[in-house]
Amino acid sequence: MAKKTIRNIDVSNTRVLVRVDFNVPLDEQGNITDDTRIRAALPTLDYLLERGASLVIMSHLGRPKGQVVESLRMGPVAGRLSQLLGTPVIKMDEVVGDEVQKASDALKPGQVLLLENLRFDPRETSNDRLFAAALARLADIYVDDAFGAAHREHASVVGVAKLLPAVAGLLLEKEVLYLQGLLRDPERPFVAVLGGSKISDKLKVIDKFQNLVDILLIGGGMIFTIMKADGVSIGKSLVEERLLSEVGRIMAESGGKRATMMLPDDIVVADEFKPEAASKVVGAESIPEDWMGLDIGPETIGRYSQLIASAKTIFWNGPMGVFEWDNFEHGTQAIAKAIAANQGIKVAGGGDTIAAIKKYGLEDRFSHISTGGGASMELLEGKELPGVAVLPDAEF
Ligand code: ADP
Ligand code: MG
């Protein structure tokens, strides 16, 4: 069911408490190295400001674990947000308290206030009632646009949504629309491309996708645990030994599932885990003992690309190889381009996957790039996200 959003309510002359995901990466000097997450919230923030709301914005940043950590203050975020909005941002030094209450009471339409890092207060992650109430007192309406935190049962996500009239922001709406669209009624053929380093991160999604998608193309470091479980020698390739039996079971049962699961025919192997390592292409069943697989090979690229071309819906998570290094990026680059060239619905997610899409300049070619790593995976695993469940459904 679609959620009630900011488009379904009148926000003029209201104070709106907006939960966003401004958990941006910072370098050692505290500079923001990628402001994608701030930009992703702008449609919602602009929408509210244009309609005469005043905003109390809140986010977490990093993992301060319930204490004030100077390097994780929201100052740099406030600066960038102000630039992007083109309006001053009043930055609070506390999350809640008298000063914050006074500042929010004084807000005029069009003004923007940013709270200090939510996770400086241990009551955020414990979903403390009084903390949620203190947040709720800052505004008339609650808007959740923090899809990246929607899988967390935290005060700013779930607690406050029960205390104020609550609606979804435009980013959260779009995320849920595209991701639930994949689960509900995807146009077929539906091809999923899964890669990345660890199969432990992706096992539940593989399990779910076996009954959802038509073709499951597998690459990245996680293929080697699957191959080893199947008795194939993988040399020194990445493997998660403790998952061998579970992976073996999933593979043994895969024949009876909807999806046809595909593994690479050929592999680019290296003699060391280094950018300048010697490399060669070998058959997937012929990995030499002292070598390790770091990318999918050209035959696999060809076969996967053809299947991708035939799809009407595509979901991609996880690079096909160590795309950070020139000698092992071909698989990821080629698959990214093959997906980009498809005319259907194309959805991607995952931090490194997004980095790869950006590296090849293909952002604009995707229907939707999910900003929520853990949240998008949990949604695709079929779990209900507490931050989404707590929001009221749209009325028709
Ligand atoms: P995402 O962040 O998109 O979910 P992951 O974090 O699961 O993706 O995996 C990305 C990482 O996997 C990349 O840093 C990449 O270098 C690594 N990787 C891909 N293939 C291999 C491989 N064959 N061996 C080791 N690491 C790999
Ligand atoms: Mg990653």
Side-chain angles (χ1 to χ4, degrees):
M1 168 86 75
K3 293 291 168 182
K4 195 169 179 180
T5 76
I6 51 173
R7 281 190 269 96
N8 305 127
I9 58 168
D10 181 6
V11 297
S12 53
N13 288 310
T14 55
R15 271 179 312 160
V16 183
L17 180 64
V18 193
R19 175 57 155 107
V20 292
D21 177 8
F22 285 171
N23 185 23
V24 289
L26 302 169
D27 67 15
E28 266 142 44
Q29 286 76 48
N31 303 304
I32 297 170
T33 56
D34 181 352
D35 64 6
T36 306
R37 284 182 165 158
I38 303 178
R39 291 176 186 273
L42 293 178
T44 293
L45 303 179
D46 283 333
Y47 181 101
L48 295 168
L49 289 172
E50 280 163 15
R51 281 158 186 79
S54 56
L55 307 182
V56 177
I57 302 176
M58 56 179 175
S59 176
H60 70 286
L61 176 62
R63 295 174 179 275
K65 306 209 166 131
Q67 290 174 1
V68 175
V69 175
E70 289 301 326
S71 61
L72 293 175
R73 285 195 180 273
M74 296 297 279
V77 172
R80 182 65 58 91
L81 177 63
S82 173
Q83 272 173 4
L84 292 170
L85 285 174
T87 196
V89 170
I90 308 161
K91 194 252 161 198
M92 295 283 102
D93 293 328
E94 275 109 38
V95 189
V96 289
D98 290 347
E99 289 300 310
V100 176
Q101 187 68 51
K102 256 189 258 164
S104 88
D105 288 344
L107 283 177
K108 302 211 171 58
Q111 289 190 323
V112 180
L113 185 146
L114 178 68
L115 303 184
E116 189 49 276
N117 191 340
L118 286 164
R119 290 195 192 160
F120 283 2
D121 196 312
R123 298 175 297 172
E124 159 67 353
T125 53
S126 66
N127 191 14
D128 180 87
R129 281 177 46 103
L130 292 177
F131 180 67
L135 291 172
R137 270 198 300 279
L138 300 175
D140 312 306
I141 297 172
Y142 169 72
V143 171
D144 188 0
D145 215 21
F147 181 71
H151 58 319
R152 306 287 189 206
E153 202 145 350
H154 293 171
S156 68
V157 177
V158 172
V160 81
K162 294 178 178 165
L163 300 173
L164 284 176
V167 292
L170 302 176
L171 173 65
L172 188 119
E173 179 192 30
K174 185 170 184 242
E175 292 274 8
V176 172
L177 193 76
Y178 272 100
L179 296 172
Q180 278 185 350
L182 295 178
L183 293 178
R184 287 199 178 149
D185 194 16
E187 274 214 69
R188 296 182 182 278
F190 181 0
V191 173
V193 183
L194 292 180
S197 52
K198 293 206 270 157
I199 196 160
S200 47
D201 295 341
K202 316 277 161 103
L203 211 52
K204 287 197 192 118
V205 170
I206 293 180
D207 220 9
K208 173 83 187 173
F209 277 12
Q210 282 195 307
N211 286 319
L212 173 73
V213 308
D214 301 295
I215 299 171
L216 191 47
L217 304 175
I218 303 196
M222 67 186 197
I223 55 179
F224 303 106
T225 302
I226 300 177
M227 287 164 54
K228 183 159 185 183
D230 201 28
V232 177
S233 7
I234 57 163
K236 292 191 297 184
S237 305
L238 195 68
V239 64
E240 287 178 277
E241 295 283 346
R242 68 184 174 86
L243 287 174
L244 284 174
S245 62
E246 195 180 349
V247 170
R249 177 188 59 78
I250 288 176
M251 295 309 289
E253 291 168 3
S254 67
K257 303 284 173 72
R258 171 175 205 138
T260 309
M261 204 192 293
M262 310 238 171
L263 288 169
D265 311 286
D266 55 349
I267 306 278
V268 180
V269 292
D271 62 350
E272 284 182 285
F273 192 71
K274 279 192 180 153
E276 65 282 5
S279 68
K280 58 184 178 185
V281 177
V282 299
E285 310 228 321
S286 319
I287 299 175
E289 210 165 294
D290 280 340
W291 293 60
M292 65 188 76
L294 295 187
D295 197 7
I296 57 174
E299 263 183 58
T300 309
I301 290 174
R303 188 161 63 105
Y304 282 14
S305 299
Q306 267 186 348
L307 293 165
I308 287 167
S310 75
K312 291 247 168 60
T313 305
I314 303 169
F315 174 75
W316 179 29
N317 171 270
M320 295 291 98
V322 184
F323 75 99
E324 296 92 339
W325 298 341
D326 293 351
N327 286 342
F328 308 102
E329 71 167 336
H330 304 293
T332 303
Q333 184 173 25
I335 294 304
K337 285 185 175 164
I339 297 171
N342 183 290
Q343 300 296 312
I345 299 284
K346 296 161 278 185
V347 180
D352 294 290
T353 308
I354 296 171
I357 291 169
K358 284 190 178 156
K359 183 174 180 189
Y360 307 123
L362 300 171
E363 299 102 299
D364 296 341
R365 309 282 289 278
F366 282 76
S367 320
H368 180 60
I369 296 180
S370 180
T371 54
S376 42
M377 294 309 265
E378 287 196 17
L379 195 152
L380 290 175
E381 286 164 15
K383 283 193 200 148
E384 183 169 75
L385 305 182
V388 176
V390 75
L391 299 175
D393 292 329
E395 297 151 26
F396 292 100

